[in-house]
Amino acid sequence: MGRKIDIPLARFGIGDVVRHKIFDFRGVIFDVDPEFANSDEWYEAIPEALRPSKGQPFYHLLAENAESSYIAYVSQQNLVRDESEEPIDHPAVGAMFEALEDGSYRLRDQLRH
């Protein structure tokens, strides 16, 4: 029998609108990794004092701040649910999701598994 792998439970799901705890941006989740799955270079670029543990869920976001929209990769410890009910202003949102409803986006039917 194989060893049981302990994966922390993801607090957020695809379509949830979240906000970063430290930096001023928010976004909608479009993918979840059960633990860190990016490059060592990306991880090492984070200042050591802010570097999150790799053993937690990481989220791919269609993100926005006051200046631009972009893709972000963020640890669970650095995210909180965004309660503003404001839509995310990112050009890819409409292709991936239906309209914002009750604080979350619904993945378009053709993208569901």
Side-chain angles (χ1 to χ4, degrees):
M1 223 149 69
R3 285 184 9 184
K4 181 179 181 295
I5 298 172
D6 198 20
I7 297 175
L9 290 176
R11 266 188 255 150
F12 309 109
I14 291 173
D16 285 349
V17 178
V18 292
R19 176 178 300 282
H20 198 282
K21 286 182 180 177
I22 300 168
F23 301 110
D24 188 22
F25 72 87
R26 53 196 289 273
V28 58
I29 295 167
F30 70 90
D31 197 10
V32 183
D33 294 332
E35 59 186 28
F36 181 79
N38 207 330
S39 69
D40 289 334
E41 292 78 22
W42 183 93
Y43 189 74
E44 298 298 325
I46 300 169
E48 199 167 345
L50 300 175
R51 206 173 286 158
S53 159
K54 290 183 176 183
Q56 63 181 309
F58 275 73
Y59 299 87
H60 300 261
L61 309 179
L62 298 177
E64 66 168 1
N65 62 23
E67 290 81 44
S68 65
S69 58
Y70 51 95
I71 303 289
Y73 189 66
V74 186
S75 63
Q76 180 162 278
Q77 75 186 48
N78 284 322
L79 291 175
V80 293
R81 191 167 306 282
D82 182 85
E83 306 288 350
S84 73
E85 298 286 330
E86 293 290 318
I88 297 296
D89 184 20
H90 188 289
V93 167
M96 292 180 120
F97 296 102
E98 305 286 347
L100 181 64
E101 193 174 293
D102 297 327
S104 288
Y105 285 90
R106 185 169 173 270
L107 200 57
R108 289 196 174 276
D109 288 338
Q110 64 268 31
L111 298 177
R112 291 174 172 269
H113 295 280

